[in-house]
Amino acid sequence: MLRASVLRLLGRAGASRVSLLEDSGPRHYCSGSLRARDDACDARAYLTTPIFYVNAAPHIGHLYSALLADALCRHRRLIVPCAAATRFSTGTDEHGLKIQQAAATAGLAPTELCDRVSSQFQQLFREAGISSTDFIRTTEVRHQIAVQHFWGVLKTRGLLYKGLYEGWYCASDECFLPEAKVTRQPGSSGDSCPVSLESGHPVFWTKEENYIFRLSQFREPLQRWLRADPRAITPEPFHHAVLQWLEEELPDLSVSRKSSHLHWGIPVPGDDSQTIYVWLDALVNYLTVIGYPNAEFKSWWPATSHIIGKDILKFHAIYWPALLLGAGMSPPHRIYVHSHWTVCGQKMSKSLGNVVDPRTCLDRYTVDGFRYFLLRQGVPNWDCDYYDEKVVKLLDSELADALGGLLNRCTANRINPSGTYPVFCTTCFPSEPGLVGPSVRAQAEDYALVSAVATLPKQVTDHYDNFQIYKALEALSSCVRQTNGFVQRHAPWKLNWENPVDAPWLGTVLHVALECLRVFGTLLQPVTPSLADKLLSRLGVSATERSVGELYFLPRFYGHPCPFEGRKLGPDTGLLFPRLDQSRAWLVKAHRT
Ligand code: MSP
């Protein structure tokens, strides 16, 4: 059985299950009873990234969207180890005016551009350890079938009509804009150009006969959905923003373009003179992946969580749920929203020449290092600024010095010559704080450490639930600091294994620190999978002992046997994370150029 907070992460498919963890077991055994086994396979969850435009190569903002989804997904797998219970899709958005124009500018056929850039995304995601189970391209036949079927359902339900659409269109954002969302900017030749108020991208006037979706009918149903489920859009400020938008009038939405203007897309069934609007096409990808229109899709829908950037909130939180309701389906379970990365204080853009190439970053900082940086520093509620020195500083202090140093202190041959997980002495560290006696060595701060680390898995899960992964890492990093303080306080290097008074306490100090490291390694797996593997392997933790359900932090303290006690440590495979500031020639060079 699964606990409530986990079930929240899982989606509705598991929502009726009963919580076990929150009300059972000793307090500090917080993850001990969290044993998700075969029944967890029924509690399915489907996570998605947005599908990425193929007009240009991927940048760190795209990688960030994918990493957030990957970390959520990997964290869920730690709690529900049944592989079949989690599905995770990503892909590329290949149709529309934006791609049609980009291909023309590059002098390529649209398919060539799509193949080229889609494979860049696939390669980047492979290199960055994005553990998706599905990759979709909207140019695939299965997708055309799904989109045309979905269109047919809307048509049959009387939600599409033909009408004259007149207004602004922004090809970069692939969206229609009302007059109030358009402003003027001086163009290159000094004339005034209409641009989108929000994105600053150019817009043009369009007037044509299109198919129109009765979006206006869905204002109240959308309000009801959001009011009934205040966590539907997380974090809360985005939920609030959508409700605010819904206070205003919701006009019907044009959902096709004349094929003579837009040929690069999916034709409207039965009317080749019209091409389906790229956002309708793109959003349906979430259904295509799970087999729509075949009934199999129902086992994944609506247990779905979409991870998206704030710029595409309106499409996911208004258009998409309205289209789904129109087609007789439920809105997605969750929409997790993140903000953007800027670079040295500026918006990232090709024209400013400040686009940060994620593959260079993965090379420089390692895959685990860069994943850690983006997830530790990226705050979903606000934009975050990127610059190289920030990465170096963070990784050196948190991964190399604090975590790597801690591991080294507890496993180095000179302090742990037997290379084992030492024995915990309950007399030196009794479970009752405040006891006094000649052999009692633990101090008040040591109890505070045990309590902090014991509650860390639950805290981390709650932060993941709230889409505040950076807070999970902040809490973890604070526990690492506390553990270093513990080691520093008791200075095991001053204790002597040969001395019968020192030895039990020396073993206990190392045992506690190794137990803390085991928790850190387990909880870091979603963010830094290889580094966590290296850490856990060094501690001698086997592959089957790495789920949150298997954690059982410091069982000896609670009077239970510890399977690690006396066990040989794993082989020493070198520094956990080498400092970067010594190998920074590229950084100095980058600044000179
Ligand atoms: N194709 C649409 C999504 C369709 S989903 C049915 C699209 N593509 S995109 O390539 O422009 O953006 C994909 C994701 O990257 C979005 O979540 C977007 O917010 C994110 N990012 C793009 N630039 C970003 C930053 N500078 N920082 C963080 N994420 C950003 O929109």
Side-chain angles (χ1 to χ4, degrees):
M1 282 201 258
L2 307 175
R3 62 174 161 166
S5 53
V6 175
L7 288 167
R8 258 181 267 131
L9 196 82
L10 304 184
R12 283 185 194 154
S16 59
R17 289 167 184 273
V18 185
S19 153
L20 182 110
L21 181 89
E22 266 158 21
D23 28 306
S24 71
R27 239 186 132 48
H28 293 299
Y29 248 72
C30 64
S31 50
S33 52
L34 202 147
R35 287 185 177 250
R37 299 231 183 266
D38 294 345
D39 62 336
C41 293
D42 304 336
R44 296 183 173 205
Y46 170 40
L47 284 89
T48 71
T49 73
I51 49 170
F52 299 88
Y53 285 131
V54 289
N55 61 309
H59 59 57
I60 58 165
H62 301 132
L63 178 60
Y64 181 57
S65 268
L67 271 181
L68 286 165
D70 184 57
L72 278 186
C73 189
R74 285 177 183 263
H75 181 258
R76 183 181 191 271
R77 290 188 192 123
L78 272 190
I79 290 171
V80 186
C82 167
T86 309
R87 197 145 179 186
F88 170 24
S89 82
T90 186
T92 41
D93 188 353
E94 306 190 1
H95 288 136
L97 199 58
K98 182 181 175 104
I99 309 303
Q100 184 178 302
Q101 289 176 347
T105 309
L108 296 171
T111 43
E112 277 178 90
L113 179 71
C114 294
D115 288 348
R116 188 180 290 182
V117 182
S118 181
S119 59
Q120 289 176 8
F121 273 99
Q122 291 179 52
Q123 193 175 345
L124 170 68
F125 290 168
R126 248 193 322 273
E127 285 174 15
I130 303 300
S131 59
S132 49
T133 54
D134 295 85
F135 192 96
I136 180 162
R137 299 184 57 185
T138 53
T139 43
E140 290 173 54
V141 176
R142 62 170 172 154
H143 181 63
Q144 170 152 349
I145 294 169
V147 172
Q148 291 187 327
H149 183 90
F150 191 83
W151 180 280
V153 174
L154 295 178
K155 189 91 207 287
T156 312
R157 296 171 73 107
L159 293 167
L160 300 177
Y161 63 94
K162 243 181 162 179
L164 188 71
Y165 180 81
E166 188 172 4
W168 297 103
Y169 192 78
C170 176
S172 296
D173 305 338
E174 292 284 18
C175 70
F176 302 96
L177 292 165
E179 188 65 50
K181 293 279 165 67
V182 173
T183 182
R184 315 271 149 181
Q185 246 178 26
S188 47
S189 48
D191 48 346
S192 143
C193 297
V195 296
S196 156
L197 203 60
E198 263 169 36
S199 69
H201 294 136
V203 299
F204 63 89
W205 189 256
T206 171
K207 181 177 177 184
E208 55 181 55
E209 200 178 40
N210 295 146
Y211 286 92
I212 298 182
F213 171 63
R214 297 188 191 280
L215 181 62
S216 53
Q217 288 189 1
F218 292 90
R219 194 169 139 220
E220 280 174 21
L222 290 174
Q223 286 174 329
R224 276 199 298 277
W225 161 57
L226 292 176
R227 289 194 181 122
D229 185 358
R231 289 171 47 86
I233 302 171
T234 300
E236 194 282 329
F238 296 108
H239 189 95
H240 182 78
V242 176
L243 276 172
Q244 286 291 112
W245 293 337
L246 289 170
E247 288 296 307
E248 287 164 28
E249 197 201 341
L250 193 59
D252 285 351
L253 177 70
S254 162
V255 285
S256 72
R257 306 297 314 278
K258 258 189 161 162
S259 309
S260 52
H261 292 155
L262 174 68
H263 59 79
W264 186 237
I266 298 176
V268 166
D271 184 354
D272 280 0
S273 72
Q274 294 274 324
T275 302
I276 296 177
Y277 175 39
V278 66
W279 266 103
L280 193 157
D281 168 341
L283 289 162
V284 173
N285 96 82
Y286 300 130
L287 296 178
T288 308
V289 165
I290 50 175
Y292 181 88
N294 297 328
E296 65 184 83
F297 86 90
K298 290 183 184 149
S299 57
W300 295 100
W301 196 272
T304 303
S305 298
H306 296 313
I307 289 84
I308 59 158
K310 63 180 184 180
D311 54 321
I312 53 177
L313 180 57
K314 183 177 65 193
F315 303 96
H316 283 81
I318 294 186
Y319 297 174
W320 181 225
L323 287 163
L324 286 163
L325 289 170
M329 296 160 69
S330 304
H333 172 61
R334 287 269 174 280
I335 300 175
Y336 289 116
V337 192
H338 66 81
S339 296
H340 281 186
W341 283 91
T342 55
V343 174
C344 301
Q346 281 183 306
K347 190 172 166 175
M348 224 184 321
S349 87
K350 247 192 337 193
S351 50
L352 286 173
N354 64 351
V355 173
V356 180
D357 172 14
R359 292 181 66 193
T360 308
C361 297
L362 294 171
D363 278 353
R364 281 180 181 171
Y365 306 118
T366 74
V367 170
D368 288 283
F370 200 55
R371 285 176 64 106
Y372 185 82
F373 170 78
L374 287 181
L375 294 171
R376 168 82 170 89
Q377 290 287 311
V379 177
N381 300 41
W382 300 283
D383 286 354
C384 301
D385 198 35
Y386 177 88
Y387 51 95
D388 291 320
E389 287 88 340
K390 201 172 182 176
V391 191
V392 174
K393 219 169 145 189
L394 180 86
L395 299 185
D396 278 354
S397 88
E398 294 196 356
L399 293 187
D401 297 347
L403 189 65
L406 180 62
L407 178 67
N408 195 37
R409 280 168 139 187
C410 308
T411 53
N413 188 46
R414 92 197 101 77
I415 205 150
N416 189 345
S418 63
T420 54
Y421 224 93
V423 171
F424 178 88
C425 166
T426 47
T427 324
C428 301
F429 204 146
S431 55
E432 191 84 355
L435 285 186
V436 278
S439 336
V440 176
R441 307 286 285 265
Q443 304 167 5
E445 293 106 308
D446 305 336
Y447 288 92
L449 168 72
V450 169
S451 160
V453 178
T455 51
L456 187 64
K458 163 92 171 78
Q459 265 191 62
V460 164
T461 296
D462 289 347
H463 289 316
Y464 271 83
D465 265 5
N466 295 325
F467 200 47
Q468 302 287 341
I469 299 176
Y470 84 101
K471 282 194 185 165
L473 291 174
E474 205 168 72
L476 200 141
S477 170
S478 147
C479 282
V480 173
R481 267 199 309 279
Q482 233 175 314
T483 314
N484 268 314
F486 166 78
V487 174
Q488 193 67 31
R489 200 158 52 244
H490 299 298
W493 48 89
K494 291 191 186 152
L495 301 172
N496 184 354
W497 282 111
E498 307 302 324
N499 178 339
V501 177
D502 280 359
W505 178 233
L506 173 51
T508 303
V509 170
L510 295 184
H511 182 103
V512 171
L514 289 173
E515 276 293 276
C516 294
L517 277 163
R518 192 167 63 79
V519 172
F520 306 150
T522 303
L523 297 176
L524 273 172
Q525 292 176 95
V527 175
T528 54
S530 306
L531 179 139
D533 173 47
K534 193 170 177 179
L535 170 52
L536 293 170
S537 300
R538 179 70 174 119
L539 301 184
V541 180
S542 71
T544 54
E545 295 167 324
R546 296 180 178 189
S547 73
V548 172
E550 301 295 331
L551 251 180
Y552 300 109
F553 170 63
L554 205 58
R556 298 277 286 108
F557 179 78
Y558 303 105
H560 298 278
C562 171
F564 299 96
E565 206 170 58
R567 198 190 276 190
K568 253 298 172 245
L569 293 178
D572 180 1
T573 51
L575 287 180
L576 185 66
F577 190 86
R579 282 182 69 84
L580 292 159
D581 66 359
Q582 275 140 47
S583 52
R584 273 204 313 174
W586 51 265
L587 183 59
V588 178
K589 215 162 88 202
H591 279 187
R592 264 193 245 118
T593 50

